[in-house]
Amino acid sequence: MSLLKETDFGTPASDSTENVTVIIDGREITVPAGTSVMRAAKMLETTIPKLCATDNLNSFGSCRLCVVEIDGRKGTPASCTTLVEPGMVVRTQTQKVEKIRKNVMELYISDHPLDCLTCPANGDCELQDMAGVVGLREVRYGYEGKNHLASPTDYSNPYFNFDESKCIVCSRCVRACEEVQGTFALTIEGRGFDSKVSPGGKDFLSSECVSCGACVQACPTSTLQEKSVVDLGMPNRTVITTCAYCGVGCSFKAELRGDELVRMVPHKDGGANEGHSCVKGRFAWGYASHPDRVLLPKIRESITEPWREVTWEEAIEFAASKLKSIQSKYGQQSIGGITSSRCTNEEVYAVQKMIRAAFGNNNVDTCARVCHSPTGYGLKQTFGASAGTQDFKSVEKSDVIIIIGANPTDAHPVFASRMKKRLRKGAKLIIVDPRRIDLVRSAHVEASHHLPLLPGTNVAMINALGHVVATENLIDWDFVNSRCDLNAFKKWEAFIKQPENSPEVVETITGVPAEEIRAAARLYASAKNGAIYYGLGVTEHSQGSTMVMGIANLAMATGNIGREGVGVNPLRGQNNVQGACDMGSFPHEFSGYRHVSDDVVREQFENLWGATLQKEPGMRIPNMLDAAIVGDFKAIFIQGEDIAQSDPNTKHVKAALASMALVIVQDLFINETAQFAHVFFPGTSFLEKDGTFTNAERRINRVRPVMASKTGKQEWEVVALLSKALGYEMNYTTSAEIMDEIAQVTPSFTGVSFAHLDKVGSVQWPCNEANPNGTPVMHIEQFVRGKGQFMETHFVPTEERTTRKFPLLLTTGRVLSQYNVGAQTRRTKNSTWASEDLLQIHPSDAELRGVKEGEWVKLASRVGETTLRAQLTSAVPPGVVYTTFHFPVTGANVITTEYSDWATNCPEYKVTAVEVMPSLSGPTEKSILDKSEKALAKNV
Amino acid sequence: MSDSSLIRMANQIAANLKNRADHREAITAHLKSFWTPKMLTELKELISENSTDFDETIIEVAATL
């Protein structure tokens, strides 16, 4: 339930191409065959009363409220389960059906608490609405008989209650869990009068429920109710905006009472999520008003001094004078900055503009450096566009899906639900991942092939898949001949056919049986529509860029590009990774991925900006940190990124930060990085921002200010003030003006404006004169670069090797309830499910080391060590261990090394040689990390 | 940049591109596209100081930069 009601047609749309004409209440309508009578009536704006039906669930026919009369048919069929037939004549409002409906409602209400005036759902309850619609005025049966009014309430979930006494057993929650979320955590227990909704276990919290909220949204009563609504009351206004967590970029209705946010409800018209959500976006927004939020600017001369709260003016002046003085002493290249994927396109654009125009150099980079920079590189080389090829909806047409190095059910849950829906309908699944992720085998989903390769051997694996395609005549010659550069293809074909790429040789590298590789390759290549989805398990390697190109090769060789159901799809980690990259955050590129050395492009920016711009690339994040250590790089502006926790080899990062003369952090919280800062500019949460995010499917969504900025300023305003203090004025008065400038200088954005987005909802770039409403699927007629470019993808093993001292391989990832460095989710009740980082270790490796379930272990690599609890599981193979990096006290990146992708310097988070041993205690406030920080500070 | 980082990055680029027929052009283009002028200068200086740390292809390419 929610405040703003989108039209509910009662049953899902039919995708039939055949049409049927029927007459409903004397009016004729033509609808697709397979449409329900209920839906057809709604299309005529005739609302048939209903309780168990809603249009994101298959019809169920249990409530009997939607009965109608149909000429020539006996009885009163349910309109939700009755499909239209040619010439059918339907009557929805007859005395007979109205009497039935009233009787049905009377029975429901006879076993329902009569506490409407004090019920949290008062005013937002379909049962209440239907009682009014059918004209129920009395309940003849009394309330003394057997009933469910004393049934208990389950308060265990931190975000919603389950009040059994209010349940009408319509099964909408059970069906939402199955059909929308795909978790199958709920069931109807018992029979007849004893039927009741059950989470399967003792309570919701201990069940398999993933708290996506689909059941709460589906509930037509107050049975499943958000605690925030119970506590705060029913909201009274709605703002449609975009989630700030993962790269799915779900649309939400932010529902408020005055200026207080009461709940976030997924928006049905949101193109990315179509009304679904996960536990993070739906419920974990409390961090935005957490007491840890810093709302006033702070400065200090040295990081050993306490912070001093100052006015914006003083903070801006302090930062600007320091930056100027550092540049005058150490040179123009001695300062730089980092943009953030958690910020809007407009905020990111402003920062990169400040760096290029006011700092006068190209030392700007973005946190995509440490996640998807190889995607940008690899897809630009092969396809000509640094982005995924499809929209999310495309997966509904896929026949074979390959997931490589991604764990969508945890990291991209809303897309995972969409994918699982397709898998339940029969699409085949291949998983390439060292770990047995949930999608390998879960409720009603089982992968046809799981290729559990050794970390670091991705490229060998993709080459082997390509080898099978090339040597077993599985190439789509029509596609290759018409769409691809044939010279490059011939070179690739000669390379990929070499015996070193055969599954039999690759088996010795990856550990995956050759026959399994061959079978997977045949399955993908023979699919009508084969799609590849991948994550950071592809990019965060020494050969991340090579692997992305290998994936592109495979898709091109099999003709799986340029239509619905196919494609190469990077699952972006953060909400605006795509956008931050699009906006010119990389040191070698302006917005729209155009190199700074391109005189024509640079001149366009110089003329518009009124500044002289440099034509050589600037420094990447690791270059800046290295240069800081040797004394060449002295000041950095860090927008919304906690590099002291998220970047690899924490000790090195902290040493670099500690050696700088000025660190400026713009963020919500005093994070790990801010411990090394001299200036802290308080940032805005997504609830306060006014701008756009671009998700993993290139969808540009509006981020609307749900409430006024708690700091009094938008982040781009602070950047503009700093830029002005440095001598370069930006002169924007609204964020819409920034987008207008982006559209002016970025060919793929020329049709984008806030006004257009407000009108059409969202668009996927390219959005320009040729594609005014955007481009859901790219490369349809031809590739952006013209012909698709096959690339030779030689397997060059990482230098990170296991040794006798460090015999295990560590790989990292994230869990469903936490998000990246945890700055947001740790400040919510999501920590109920995961309150610490755990080390997953195979029972055989654990036994060898005397490690027991739940006990502390020391995890050590050649660069550092930390302590965390062990979790024994066969989900990781022997020889591989796995952990997350959500908690600073663990500091998992103390362990990860300096190795990075050869082309982009994306860190190799996924392969670190480690050893694990029992430990007597865990990390504390006085951990090794803290000690090292203090030592660094002392040295400074 | 630290010397060790720069040497590792250069050798890694060479290792990943040297099997291509057009490896010299590819390495040159890569360095010009992504490395700062200072990094290129430091690369040449390091090679002149001690070329044994570097892949042969990098040495060849650096001479043309």
Side-chain angles (χ1 to χ4, degrees):
Chain A
M1 297 290 287
S2 73
L3 186 65
L4 179 73
K5 304 279 190 294
E6 298 99 337
T7 302
D8 184 351
F9 290 90
T11 63
S14 165
D15 57 5
S16 173
T17 53
E18 289 177 30
N19 285 329
V20 172
T21 300
V22 296
I23 295 172
I24 300 175
D25 293 340
R27 295 160 68 198
E28 189 175 284
I29 186 167
T30 300
V31 297
T35 300
S36 72
V37 169
M38 175 182 278
R39 188 178 179 93
K42 189 66 185 176
M43 290 166 79
L44 281 168
E45 297 187 348
T46 296
T47 303
I48 300 174
K50 63 181 181 59
L51 278 171
C52 71
T54 187
D55 62 10
N56 68 339
L57 301 175
N58 291 324
S59 56
F60 195 54
S62 79
C63 76
R64 308 304 299 171
L65 205 61
C66 69
V67 290
V68 293
E69 289 193 82
I70 299 173
D71 286 4
R73 287 204 186 183
K74 288 181 183 173
T76 50
S79 62
C80 64
T81 52
T82 304
L83 304 184
V84 291
E85 289 178 12
M88 184 182 263
V89 178
V90 180
R91 283 174 292 142
T92 72
Q93 303 289 330
T94 66
Q95 281 191 348
K96 187 177 180 182
V97 298
E98 284 176 2
K99 188 177 178 188
I100 292 171
R101 289 171 189 162
K102 193 181 281 189
N103 285 342
V104 168
M105 279 306 300
E106 196 176 357
L107 287 165
Y108 274 124
I109 299 299
S110 72
D111 189 10
H112 192 83
L114 296 179
D115 61 351
C116 285
L117 292 179
T118 54
C119 176
N122 187 18
D124 186 29
C125 171
E126 289 185 44
L127 189 68
Q128 191 180 40
D129 294 345
M130 289 305 112
V133 165
V134 305
L136 186 68
R137 297 290 176 266
E138 61 174 345
V139 175
R140 292 166 292 168
Y141 310 110
Y143 298 95
E144 289 75 32
K146 193 177 176 189
N147 60 53
H148 299 86
L149 301 183
S151 298
T153 299
D154 174 357
Y155 297 100
S156 64
N157 187 288
Y159 295 119
F160 60 84
N161 298 334
F162 173 54
D163 182 351
E164 273 184 51
S165 72
K166 290 178 172 162
C167 182
I168 59 170
V169 201
C170 64
S171 292
R172 272 166 67 162
C173 56
V174 176
R175 289 182 287 139
C177 190
E178 293 175 3
E179 296 175 28
V180 179
Q181 167 56 28
T183 293
F184 294 78
L186 303 182
T187 188
I188 298 293
E189 185 181 282
R191 303 185 68 175
F193 186 82
D194 294 327
S195 302
K196 63 174 190 176
V197 172
S198 168
K202 180 170 64 95
D203 54 28
F204 265 80
L205 187 61
S206 60
S207 74
E208 291 181 358
C209 167
V210 292
S211 296
C212 67
C215 58
V216 180
Q217 196 180 345
C219 181
T221 72
S222 185
T223 307
L224 285 154
Q225 184 74 63
E226 298 93 342
K227 288 183 196 287
S228 58
V229 172
V230 176
D231 293 342
L232 301 171
M234 195 54 68
N236 53 25
R237 70 181 180 98
T238 302
V239 180
I240 295 169
T241 191
T242 305
C243 179
Y245 281 113
C246 78
V248 177
C250 295
S251 289
F252 275 90
K253 296 178 288 185
E255 298 190 345
L256 302 98
R257 279 175 72 89
D259 280 337
E260 186 167 30
L261 182 61
V262 177
R263 66 180 169 188
M264 297 283 284
V265 183
H267 188 212
K268 192 173 161 183
D269 296 335
N273 56 318
E274 296 184 333
H276 191 35
S277 60
C278 78
V279 63
K280 294 187 282 286
R282 178 74 150 94
F283 297 115
W285 36 265
Y287 68 89
S289 53
H290 193 278
D292 287 352
R293 271 286 296 271
V294 177
L295 303 178
L296 293 169
K298 294 170 185 284
I299 60 171
R300 57 184 174 182
E301 284 291 338
S302 150
I303 62 171
T304 55
E305 291 178 7
W307 285 108
R308 191 161 61 87
E309 279 184 0
V310 294
T311 62
W312 280 107
E313 290 74 19
E314 187 175 351
I316 299 281
E317 180 50 38
F318 180 87
S321 65
K322 291 257 180 201
L323 285 168
K324 282 193 263 192
S325 127
I326 288 166
Q327 267 192 315
S328 92
K329 185 171 178 185
Y330 296 101
Q332 198 167 353
Q333 300 294 333
S334 62
I335 67 174
I338 304 174
T339 70
S340 170
S341 299
R342 287 191 294 158
C343 293
T344 63
N345 288 321
E346 295 72 18
E347 290 166 337
V348 166
Y349 182 86
V351 170
Q352 63 89 30
K353 181 176 176 179
M354 172 180 73
I355 290 167
R356 296 188 201 279
F359 289 12
N361 62 45
N362 287 323
N363 293 334
V364 56
D365 207 357
T366 183
C367 53
R369 175 67 55 208
V370 299
C371 65
H372 266 289
S373 50
T375 289
Y377 178 90
L379 297 186
K380 178 129 191 217
Q381 296 281 321
T382 49
F383 298 162
S386 299
T389 61
Q390 311 296 118
D391 59 355
F392 289 140
K393 200 175 177 60
S394 164
V395 78
E396 293 166 13
K397 299 279 174 64
S398 300
D399 300 303
V400 173
I401 299 165
I402 306 184
I403 300 175
I404 310 176
N407 187 11
T409 52
D410 279 37
H412 304 87
V414 171
F415 173 69
S417 291
R418 202 190 273 262
M419 181 186 280
K420 285 195 287 188
K421 193 182 281 188
R422 178 63 193 153
L423 293 169
R424 290 197 300 275
K425 286 182 179 170
K428 303 291 183 193
L429 178 63
I430 298 163
I431 290 177
V432 184
D433 199 295
R435 293 196 308 140
R436 194 182 64 240
I437 60 172
D438 285 349
L439 281 171
V440 172
R441 192 166 192 275
S442 58
H444 298 272
V445 169
E446 183 160 16
S448 300
H449 302 283
H450 175 210
L451 312 180
L453 74 181
L454 198 66
T457 64
N458 280 341
V459 173
M461 176 61 76
I462 204 74
N463 285 345
L465 295 170
H467 179 92
V468 176
V469 169
T471 55
E472 296 192 11
N473 198 25
L474 295 169
I475 285 172
D476 183 336
W477 290 107
D478 287 345
F479 185 90
V480 169
N481 285 328
S482 62
R483 299 288 308 275
C484 302
D485 182 304
L486 290 180
N487 283 335
F489 170 75
K490 282 173 189 162
K491 284 181 192 168
W492 175 79
E493 187 186 23
F495 154 73
I496 207 76
K497 282 182 170 176
Q498 289 169 10
E500 72 197 46
N501 293 319
S502 70
E504 289 67 27
V505 173
V506 165
E507 177 178 344
T508 64
I509 300 167
T510 62
V512 178
E515 260 320 299
E516 196 70 8
I517 299 173
R518 286 190 180 277
R522 290 168 191 149
L523 180 63
Y524 170 72
S526 59
K528 183 180 168 201
N529 288 328
I532 302 174
Y533 292 84
Y534 70 88
L536 303 183
V538 159
T539 55
E540 291 176 343
H541 286 83
S542 287
Q543 326 81 3
S545 292
T546 310
M547 180 61 181
V548 172
M549 294 188 287
I551 289 171
N553 289 339
L554 188 65
M556 288 191 290
T558 52
N560 280 311
I561 291 289
R563 62 182 185 277
E564 282 189 300
V566 299
V568 174
N569 305 278
L571 294 170
R572 308 282 188 162
Q574 299 202 73
N575 49 322
N576 201 32
V577 173
Q578 181 70 58
C581 298
D582 300 339
M583 291 300 102
S585 290
F586 288 128
H588 64 288
E589 287 174 333
F590 293 118
S591 64
Y593 305 98
R594 290 154 307 155
H595 202 273
V596 292
S597 64
D598 185 323
D599 292 340
V600 175
V601 172
R602 199 176 59 259
E603 195 175 313
Q604 184 192 11
F605 279 92
E606 286 181 329
N607 289 338
L608 184 70
W609 290 357
T612 301
L613 305 176
Q614 299 212 328
K615 64 180 180 183
E616 290 93 5
M619 283 188 265
R620 296 169 171 176
I621 295 171
N623 303 151
M624 294 184 213
L625 298 177
D626 274 349
I629 299 265
V630 298
D632 292 340
F633 188 79
K634 289 291 184 182
I636 192 165
F637 179 98
I638 301 174
Q639 176 192 38
E641 188 183 356
D642 192 2
I643 60 172
Q645 195 185 341
S646 64
D647 284 28
N649 194 354
T650 307
K651 198 185 291 181
H652 176 75
V653 175
K654 290 187 173 183
L657 287 169
S659 60
M660 290 187 211
L662 179 68
V663 174
I664 304 170
V665 168
Q666 185 176 37
D667 213 302
L668 299 180
F669 306 106
I670 298 289
N671 56 21
E672 300 303 299
T673 303
Q675 309 290 340
F676 298 88
H678 307 81
V679 178
F680 187 88
F681 290 139
T684 51
S685 76
F686 78 111
L687 297 171
E688 299 145 56
K689 290 183 189 298
D690 186 10
T692 55
F693 289 151
T694 308
N695 74 356
E697 47 169 5
R698 297 169 279 104
R699 186 182 301 278
I700 307 162
N701 265 315
R702 278 283 278 124
V703 184
R704 295 185 177 86
V706 170
M707 57 185 69
S709 166
K710 289 177 186 292
T711 70
K713 293 191 187 302
Q714 289 288 322
E715 287 187 21
W716 61 263
E717 291 181 86
V718 179
V719 172
L721 285 170
L722 179 59
S723 184
K724 184 180 178 184
L726 289 168
Y728 179 78
E729 290 203 45
M730 291 195 191
N731 293 325
Y732 303 119
T733 57
T734 64
S735 47
E737 289 177 10
I738 305 178
M739 177 50 82
D740 291 343
E741 182 176 313
I742 293 165
Q744 194 180 342
V745 291
T746 313
S748 51
F749 274 65
T750 53
V752 182
S753 68
F754 281 18
H756 187 54
L757 293 172
D758 289 342
K759 186 176 164 194
V760 301
S762 63
V763 292
Q764 291 170 262
W765 67 255
C767 174
N768 45 31
E769 203 172 321
N771 308 285
N773 288 321
T775 311
V777 176
M778 292 187 81
H779 316 298
I780 290 177
E781 299 292 334
Q782 63 171 11
F783 286 95
V784 169
R785 70 180 304 284
K787 297 285 186 184
Q789 181 79 5
F790 280 85
M791 301 292 287
E792 291 176 47
T793 51
H794 297 271
F795 174 52
V796 179
T798 175
E799 292 175 50
E800 181 73 359
R801 307 284 164 82
T802 53
T803 60
R804 285 181 65 186
K805 194 174 176 188
F806 301 110
L808 302 170
L809 284 177
L810 170 73
T811 185
T812 60
R814 63 195 201 202
V815 295
L816 172 66
S817 58
Q818 296 289 349
Y819 178 71
N820 283 9
V821 297
Q824 293 148 282
T825 45
R826 279 187 283 109
R827 292 180 170 93
T828 70
K829 290 176 180 170
N830 274 27
S831 292
T832 305
W833 290 281
S835 57
E836 60 185 321
D837 293 318
L838 298 171
L839 183 79
Q840 291 191 344
I841 182 168
H842 192 275
S844 62
D845 286 328
E847 189 178 358
L848 272 174
R849 292 163 175 78
V851 169
K852 294 192 169 56
E853 174 73 24
E855 293 190 349
W856 293 111
V857 291
K858 187 170 88 172
L859 173 68
S861 74
R862 62 184 166 78
V863 301
E865 63 184 48
T866 186
T867 315
L868 63 176
R869 289 184 198 276
Q871 181 183 47
L872 275 55
T873 171
S874 61
V876 290
V880 176
V881 292
Y882 168 86
T883 191
T884 52
F885 54 98
H886 302 307
F887 293 88
V889 71
T890 313
N893 282 320
V894 170
I895 306 299
T896 50
T897 71
E898 71 281 15
Y899 289 146
S900 65
D901 173 44
W902 67 271
T904 65
N905 291 127
C906 180
E908 190 166 55
Y909 291 109
K910 304 301 182 190
V911 190
T912 307
V914 295
E915 179 56 299
V916 175
M917 61 204 80
S919 174
L920 292 175
S921 62
T924 66
E925 291 299 314
K926 304 291 175 196
S927 66
I928 297 165
L929 260 179
D930 286 344
K931 284 176 194 166
S932 69
E933 279 170 20
K934 281 173 186 158
L936 283 169
K938 200 174 173 184
N939 289 338
V940 172
Chain B
M1 287 287 293
S2 71
D3 295 353
S4 61
S5 293
L6 201 121
I7 293 166
R8 188 179 62 249
M9 284 170 62
N11 286 338
Q12 205 185 356
I13 291 164
N16 280 276
L17 293 176
K18 71 180 186 184
N19 287 315
R20 283 171 51 166
D22 62 345
H23 60 274
R24 284 189 191 82
E25 294 81 2
I27 293 171
T28 303
H30 189 90
L31 292 176
K32 284 186 172 174
S33 288
F34 301 112
W35 282 37
T36 66
K38 188 163 194 291
M39 287 164 69
L40 295 176
T41 304
E42 286 173 359
L43 173 68
K44 287 191 261 189
E45 285 170 1
L46 283 170
I47 290 172
S48 67
E49 284 167 20
N50 185 3
S51 62
T52 56
D53 288 337
F54 288 93
D55 185 287
E56 274 180 26
T57 326
I58 282 290
I59 298 170
E60 287 172 31
V61 167
T64 66
L65 290 173

